[in-house]
Amino acid sequence: MHVRNVFRTAPNFQELGEKYPELEKHLRQVRPGYCTINFKDPVALRELTQTLARHYFSLELDLPLDRLIPTLPLRLNYLHWIEDLISFPDSTPSSQVRGLDIGTGASAIYPLLGSRVFSWTFLATERDEESFSVARGNVTRNKLDDKVIVRQVTDSDGRIASVIGTEQFTFCMCNPPFYADNSDDVSSRSENRPAAKSICTGSSGEVATEGGEVTFINQLINESLLLQSQVTWYTTMLGRKVSLEPLVAKLTTHGVTRVTTTEFRQGNTTRWGLAWSFSPTLPPTLQAANTKKPSTIYSFSIPSQSMTLNTATSLIGGLLREMHVQVTPCPTRGHMTSSCDHMTSREDHVTTRWVAWVTATENTWSHGRRKRRQEQFEKENCKRRKLNSDHVICNSQSGSSNGVTCLFHSVMSVERNDDEEGGVTVDFGWIYGTSKDSLNQFCCTVATRLSEQLEKSKDA
C-alpha cells in the first residue's frame, strides 16, 4: 500500500456499519469487534465501495452491477504514484495539473478521486454508451463538472492522439482490460495461484480486449511516439507482471530512455505500473526499468523508546541538510490527514508518520565527495544552505530543470513504531532516477549516521 494511501489504516467495517445502515445489512461478524462482507456478493461489494467513497472522500457514486465496481485502495495507489512522478523536477501546482483518463468506466473513479483528493482537472474518455452516461452523471452528482470533462469516443479515435488534438496534459492514465478474451482469465491462472476472493463485475468490454493489455498499451506507445512531450508522463496499470517485459522492450527499441515501473500492493491483490516520458526537463536517461522487480523500497528501523517521531524527523532533517539533497514535504490534504505528511491516528490524535519527496542530483554523502562538496558550499556561501520558510527541510532547486542528472527521486516515510521497542522505521521508496545503488547507499548512510548520533546522545 502506498505510504500516503488513506487505506493503509484499514477501515473498521463495524464502525462504518454503525454510521451507514445500508452497509450494516451486508456485514458478517468474524470475531468480536471485527466484521467483513461477502466479497463475492456484487451488491455487498457495491455498497462497500459507495460507503468508502462517501465516508473518506465525500463522493456519491452510482455503480451499475453490470459494470466494474472499483476497489478504492488500488485506484488511490495508482493516483499517488502519479503524484510522485510529477513531483519532480518542477512540481506543478495542483490546480494546473491536467490528467487524461483513457476508458474512465461508469464510475469515473480516477477523475473523481483525482479532482476531489488532489484538486487536479481531467479529460476522461469512454467508448461504451451506458458507461459514458453513468460517468457523466457521477461527475455532475458530485458537482465536479468544472474539473472533469467526460467525452464519448469511438473505436476509430485510437487511444489518445485524435482526442487531445493540440492540448497539453501533465499525464495520461489507463487501466486496460487484462485479457485477450473472456476465457483468458481462467486459462492464464496457474495451479498454484489461489482462487479470486472477490467477484469480478463488469461488461465484456471491461474484462477483455483484442490482444489483451499488451496490444492495448502497444497502441498507446505508438501514439506517444508521435505526441512526444505533449503529455509529460504516459502511464498505465497492468494486471499481469509478464506484460511489463514486452512493453519495456518496445519502448527501448524506440529509444525511449525515460521509463520507470512500480508495483501496487493492496491486500491480496498486486498490480504493476509502467510510465514513460519524453519531457526535456526530466533526466535524459533513467535506470533501465526492472521488469523482474518493478519497485524497490530501502528501509531501516531505529528501535529506541527515546526516538520519538519529532526527534527522528529533526535528526534526519539535519542530516539531509548536510547532504544538500532536495527535500519537499508532501502536501497536506484538508481532512484526509491519514494520506499525507502528518498522519493523525483516530485513537489518540498523535502524529505517527511524516512523508516527503527526497531527490539527489549528485552524490554528496560519500566521505571524500561530501568533504569537497562542503568546502565548495562554504566558499560560495551557496543559497541552498538557507531554509525555505515553507519547508521543514532544505528544499534545494539544484537540478530542477533542463534535463539534469537525477541520481534518484524517492518518497521517504518516517513512521513511529507501535511495538514495545518503540522507535521509528524509515523507508525510501524508489520512484525513478539513474542509480538505485545510490539510493541504497544513501539510505545506509542515513541509518549509520543516525545511529551514531543516538550513541553520542547516550554518552553525553
Side-chain angles (χ1 to χ4, degrees):
M1 193 79 72
H2 194 285
V3 69
R4 296 192 304 281
N5 195 318
V6 67
F7 296 110
R8 275 176 69 95
T9 302
N12 187 313
F13 286 5
Q14 181 169 310
E15 291 180 2
L16 288 174
E18 293 171 357
K19 187 172 182 179
Y20 303 99
E22 291 302 312
L23 175 65
E24 186 177 28
K25 294 187 298 186
H26 299 283
L27 294 180
R28 304 182 305 176
Q29 189 173 54
V30 177
R31 58 180 181 272
Y34 180 79
C35 294
T36 187
I37 67 165
N38 178 6
F39 285 92
K40 292 193 175 182
D41 177 358
V43 177
L45 188 61
R46 176 175 66 180
E47 191 59 49
L48 174 62
T49 299
Q50 290 173 327
T51 298
L52 294 177
R54 184 179 302 121
H55 181 76
Y56 286 92
F57 311 110
S58 300
L59 290 172
E60 297 295 330
L61 300 180
D62 176 16
L63 301 173
L65 291 176
D66 60 348
R67 295 296 186 271
L68 282 176
I69 298 174
T71 52
L72 299 189
L74 175 59
R75 269 62 179 182
L76 202 56
N77 269 355
Y78 188 2
L79 288 167
H80 277 304
W81 180 55
I82 290 175
E83 185 186 32
D84 289 338
L85 291 173
I86 67 177
S87 63
F88 179 83
D90 296 310
S91 183
T92 305
S94 293
S95 60
Q96 297 178 24
V97 173
R98 193 173 187 209
L100 171 62
D101 181 23
I102 306 168
T104 195
S107 67
I109 193 60
Y110 288 121
L112 292 180
L113 286 175
S115 57
R116 179 59 53 85
V117 179
F118 304 93
S119 298
W120 299 338
T121 60
F122 278 84
L123 171 60
T125 67
E126 179 54 49
R127 284 180 168 79
D128 181 78
E129 186 171 349
E130 180 182 344
S131 294
F132 166 72
S133 177
V134 176
R136 282 207 308 179
N138 277 325
V139 172
T140 300
R141 182 177 296 103
N142 290 284
K143 298 180 173 56
L144 291 171
D145 294 277
D146 60 328
K147 290 184 174 295
V148 180
I149 297 172
V150 184
R151 184 178 299 171
Q152 188 171 15
V153 295
T154 64
D155 291 338
S156 61
D157 289 323
R159 296 289 171 256
I160 58 174
S162 63
V163 175
I164 67 175
T166 59
E167 296 178 73
Q168 294 283 331
F169 287 85
T170 314
F171 66 89
C172 74
M173 63 188 308
C174 62
N175 184 188
F178 305 155
Y179 308 112
D181 57 59
N182 291 329
S183 63
D184 195 17
D185 182 15
V186 177
S187 62
S188 65
R189 186 177 292 270
S190 67
E191 294 180 358
N192 297 326
R193 185 180 173 189
K197 294 187 177 181
S198 61
I199 191 171
C200 178
T201 62
S203 64
S204 58
E206 292 175 306
V207 175
T209 185
E210 184 177 355
E213 61 186 3
V214 171
T215 298
F216 188 101
I217 300 305
N218 270 332
Q219 185 175 348
L220 178 60
I221 292 174
N222 290 337
E223 294 187 25
S224 75
L225 295 171
L226 299 174
L227 296 169
Q228 297 278 309
S229 57
Q230 195 172 334
V231 177
T232 305
W233 279 105
Y234 299 86
T235 77
T236 182
M237 182 164 68
L238 302 167
R240 290 170 156 178
K241 188 176 181 180
V242 294
S243 298
L244 282 173
E245 189 167 351
L247 293 173
V248 170
K250 181 179 177 70
L251 288 165
T252 302
T253 298
H254 287 280
V256 183
T257 57
R258 300 176 177 95
V259 183
T260 190
T261 58
T262 194
E263 192 171 67
F264 307 114
R265 290 186 178 181
Q266 44 287 312
N268 298 311
T269 302
T270 303
R271 296 289 182 263
W272 295 269
L274 171 65
W276 64 99
S277 178
F278 303 89
S279 174
T281 63
L282 289 167
T285 302
L286 302 181
Q287 179 165 327
N290 190 333
T291 59
K292 303 299 182 184
K293 191 176 182 181
S295 61
T296 304
I297 296 177
Y298 301 102
S299 64
F300 63 89
S301 293
I302 304 294
S304 170
Q305 290 289 349
S306 62
M307 179 60 75
T308 65
L309 185 64
N310 286 338
T311 301
T313 55
S314 177
L315 290 174
I316 293 173
L319 291 176
L320 299 185
R321 283 194 293 273
E322 291 177 15
M323 296 179 183
H324 299 286
V325 295
Q326 177 175 324
V327 183
T328 307
C330 297
T332 301
R333 307 194 184 285
H335 69 282
M336 286 167 287
T337 53
S338 54
S339 64
C340 43
D341 49 322
H342 289 285
M343 175 179 171
T344 302
S345 168
R346 288 177 298 178
E347 292 77 18
D348 56 9
H349 302 287
V350 175
T351 303
T352 60
R353 184 183 299 127
W354 192 84
V355 185
W357 291 299
V358 178
T359 309
T361 58
E362 58 182 315
N363 186 330
T364 60
W365 50 91
S366 294
H367 180 70
R369 291 182 181 179
R370 187 169 66 245
K371 183 177 179 180
R372 291 192 298 272
R373 186 65 173 164
Q374 185 65 32
E375 291 174 350
Q376 178 183 347
F377 268 78
E378 290 175 355
K379 288 179 181 179
E380 298 176 356
N381 192 22
C382 183
K383 294 180 181 180
R384 283 179 294 182
R385 298 183 68 181
K386 297 180 180 179
L387 289 178
N388 186 314
S389 59
D390 295 330
H391 289 174
V392 177
I393 306 175
C394 178
N395 183 13
S396 163
Q397 293 302 314
S398 172
S400 63
S401 60
N402 299 324
V404 297
T405 300
C406 169
L407 289 180
F408 61 78
H409 179 44
S410 67
V411 58
M412 176 187 70
S413 168
V414 184
E415 185 167 5
R416 187 187 68 184
N417 296 332
D418 291 327
D419 55 24
E420 294 181 358
E421 292 185 325
V424 297
T425 296
V426 182
D427 290 338
F428 288 93
W430 171 267
I431 301 173
Y432 60 76
T434 58
S435 175
K436 282 188 179 181
D437 285 342
S438 291
L439 179 57
N440 185 22
Q441 294 166 9
F442 177 80
C443 180
C444 292
T445 301
V446 173
T448 300
R449 296 185 63 188
L450 193 58
S451 297
E452 289 173 352
Q453 290 194 13
L454 276 177
E455 290 301 317
K456 289 180 181 180
S457 65
K458 290 179 182 179
D459 296 337

